[in-house]
């Protein structure tokens, strides 16, 4: 299939339809402070609607919803969207798009937002610095792992370990990470320890209308060559995840902030030592991106165009809702090796979107 291309035919500044707070400063939380100033262009594709006045409808509803999302003003490109990670995360992205869609469908819809993440994660004078991995020339490729392949991966792991009730994120992480480590060994001829860092969503622990970054690091490591096995990678990830859940259970909001800071510092310190090859994972699955209905139906596909970060992996729901799409960003040289990995291609295939 031929790849899709999105052409910009015009540009227009959309201003909030109602006055936004005057002389008010938007305070960044410490998670906002440390988040890299990166953009991940997101696009939702729809079947062609019968209404020919779509652009005007979207402009009007965007103008209205921006009154509730005033820090977002000036950062949106309809109908694709590109928001800085400095002010929002994937959870906020989905909430904004669904609120915009609801505003388009329902004239009296009023979004509920609170830009108060700084009250839960107070800003710091000297926050930790996440190492800048946006340096080398990178390429992003989307791969799909079907529900059938996910089932096969789960069977392999459950048969060879004590880990049960596996999730698609766990087995997809293990597959991608194992293949990524193979690239490292192919380049150097030697084993190098590697670090899996997942961004763990903390929004469920706070009011769900809170806008701002809310995450902690979930770190697990592969330290010896004989650990480069799917069951071991999953077991380490599950152990780290369960540890975080036990720590967060019944924890007050101020302690959650401290815990998030400690988890991030731990990951940053490991990366700075340069003894491990770091891989950063995050997930946009189950966030409602396929529920974004502007009045002409739900999207037939939602995708990220690219990521600027080396060794960055983002999981997304695929249109069927059963498999998983995986956006992988590596250096150009590493991607040439990675995309030819036989084990990867046994379970995953590259996604090339049709313009239809």
């Amino acid at each position: 299939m031929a790849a899709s291309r999105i052409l910009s035919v015009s540009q227009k500044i959309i201003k909030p339809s109602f006055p936004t707070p005057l002389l008010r400063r938007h305070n960044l939380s410490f998670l906002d402070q440390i988040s890299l100033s990166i953009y991940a262009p997101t696009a939702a594709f729809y079947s062609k609607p019968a209404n020919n006045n779509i652009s005007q409808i979207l402009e009007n509803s965007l103008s209205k919803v921006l009154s509730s999302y005033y820090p977002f003003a000036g950062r949106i490109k309809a109908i694709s969207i590109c928001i800085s990670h400095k002010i929002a995360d994937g959870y906020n992205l989905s909430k904004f798009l669904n609120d915009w869609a609801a505003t388009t469908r329902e004239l009296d819809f009023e979004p509920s937002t609170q830009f108060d993440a700084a009250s839960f994660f107070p800003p710091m004078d000297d926050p930790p610095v996440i190492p800048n991995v946006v340096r080398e020339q990178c390429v992003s490729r989307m791969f799909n792992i079907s529900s059938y392949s996910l089932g096969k991966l789960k069977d392999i792991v459950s048969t060879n370990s004590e880990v049960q009730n596996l999730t698609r994120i766990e087995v997809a992480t293990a597959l991608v990470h194992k293949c990524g480590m193979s690239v490292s060994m192919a380049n150097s001829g030697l084993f190098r320890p590697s670090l899996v860092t997942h961004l763990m969503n903390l929004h469920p622990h706070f009011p769900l209308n809170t806008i701002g970054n809310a995450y902690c690091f979930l770190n697990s490591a592969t330290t010896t060559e004989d650990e480069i096995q799917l069951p071991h990678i999953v077991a380490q990830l599950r152990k780290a995840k369960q540890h975080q859940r036990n720590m967060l259970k019944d924890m007050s909001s101020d302690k959650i902030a401290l815990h998030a800071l400690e988890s991030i510092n731990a990951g940053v310190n490991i990366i700075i030592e340069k003894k491990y090859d770091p891989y950063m994972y995050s997930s946009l699955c189950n966030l409602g991106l396929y529920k974004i209905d502007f009045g002409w139906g739900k999207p037939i596909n939602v995708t990220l165009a690219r990521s600027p970060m080396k060794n960055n992996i983002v999981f997304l729901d695929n249109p069927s809702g059963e498999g998983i799409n995986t956006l992988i960003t590596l250096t150009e040289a590493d991607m040439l090796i990675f995309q030819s990995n036989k084990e990867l291609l046994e379970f995953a295939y590259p996604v090339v979107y049709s313009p239809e």
Side-chain angles (χ1 to χ4, degrees):
M1 293 185 295
S4 297
R5 289 196 305 164
I6 301 176
L7 300 178
S8 175
V9 295
S10 65
Q11 295 186 6
K12 188 174 183 179
I13 295 176
I14 307 298
K15 298 180 179 180
S17 59
F18 301 104
T20 56
L22 297 176
L23 301 177
R24 182 175 175 180
R25 179 180 179 182
H26 174 57
N27 293 318
L28 297 177
S29 71
F30 79 75
L31 289 176
D32 297 332
Q33 287 178 301
I34 67 176
S35 295
L36 298 176
S37 297
I38 59 174
Y39 296 81
T42 307
F45 295 86
Y46 294 83
S47 298
K48 186 176 180 180
N51 194 322
N52 293 322
N53 199 29
I54 294 301
S55 294
Q56 189 59 53
I57 292 173
L58 288 174
E59 286 179 15
N60 291 341
S61 60
L62 177 58
S63 178
K64 181 179 178 182
V65 78
L66 284 177
S67 297
S68 297
Y69 284 86
Y70 58 91
F72 287 16
R75 298 174 173 88
I76 310 300
K77 295 182 179 179
I79 196 167
S80 62
I81 183 171
C82 199
I83 296 180
S84 171
H85 217 313
K86 277 289 185 186
I87 61 169
D89 55 17
Y91 175 90
N92 297 153
L93 169 68
S94 179
K95 175 173 168 52
F96 170 77
L97 287 172
N98 275 286
D99 281 353
W100 181 11
T103 303
T104 307
R105 297 192 316 268
E106 307 167 27
L107 293 177
D108 58 349
F109 178 79
E110 293 291 339
S112 174
T113 59
Q114 290 292 330
F115 287 88
D116 59 354
S119 66
F120 301 111
F121 303 99
M124 302 173 62
D125 292 332
D126 188 25
V129 178
I130 297 178
N132 186 2
V133 292
V134 190
R135 292 177 296 184
E136 302 181 55
Q137 187 66 34
C138 294
V139 293
S140 297
R141 297 279 187 273
M142 185 77 77
F143 292 83
N144 174 262
I145 308 175
S146 68
S147 58
Y148 175 75
S149 292
L150 289 171
K152 288 174 61 179
L153 289 166
K154 290 177 181 180
D155 288 342
I156 292 171
V157 174
S158 61
T159 302
N160 295 280
S161 75
E162 297 180 357
V163 183
Q164 302 299 312
N165 300 317
L166 295 153
T167 70
R168 54 180 177 162
I169 299 295
E170 288 172 334
V171 294
T173 297
L175 174 66
V176 172
H177 197 65
K178 183 179 180 183
C179 296
M181 294 189 70
S182 296
V183 173
S184 177
M185 292 181 67
N187 284 331
S188 66
L190 300 172
F191 168 80
R192 272 184 58 83
S194 67
L195 178 71
V196 170
T197 296
H198 260 281
L199 296 188
M200 187 172 185
N201 180 14
L202 293 180
H203 280 280
H205 297 276
F206 300 96
L208 296 181
N209 63 349
T210 298
I211 306 299
N213 286 283
Y215 61 83
C216 65
F217 278 11
L218 193 160
N219 303 305
S220 62
T222 302
T223 58
T224 63
E225 188 171 349
D226 59 5
E227 292 177 350
I228 310 177
Q229 302 295 331
L230 298 177
H232 178 82
I233 297 171
V234 170
Q236 290 296 98
L237 180 59
R238 175 67 68 86
K239 181 180 178 181
K241 182 165 61 174
Q242 193 58 52
H243 173 73
Q244 289 286 40
R245 287 177 173 173
N246 291 339
M247 292 288 291
L248 291 167
K249 185 179 180 181
D250 301 324
M251 188 178 282
S252 61
S253 60
D254 57 329
K255 290 184 178 179
I256 289 178
L258 179 60
H259 178 73
L261 178 61
E262 290 173 347
S263 75
I264 292 168
N265 274 327
V268 167
N269 289 337
I270 293 174
I271 295 172
I272 290 174
E273 290 175 357
K274 296 185 178 180
K275 295 180 180 179
Y276 291 76
D277 288 334
Y279 293 81
M280 184 75 73
Y281 295 79
S282 58
S283 173
L284 296 180
C285 293
N286 302 320
L287 291 182
L289 290 175
Y290 278 90
K291 296 179 181 179
I292 304 167
D293 184 356
F294 288 88
W296 50 82
K298 297 177 181 178
I300 57 177
N301 189 54
V302 179
T303 186
L304 295 181
R306 58 179 170 76
S307 169
M309 291 178 60
K310 173 187 172 183
N311 293 358
N312 182 247
I313 298 93
V314 182
F315 297 114
L316 303 98
D317 294 316
N318 75 340
S320 73
E322 297 178 351
I324 194 168
N325 283 349
T326 308
L327 184 72
I328 300 170
T329 304
L330 303 170
T331 65
E332 292 180 347
D334 285 353
M335 183 61 77
L336 288 174
I337 302 172
F338 180 87
Q339 65 189 8
S340 301
N341 184 287
K342 291 182 179 180
E343 186 170 12
L344 173 73
L345 298 177
E346 179 183 351
F347 297 101
Y349 62 87
V351 177
V352 183
Y353 295 112
S354 168
E356 302 302 327

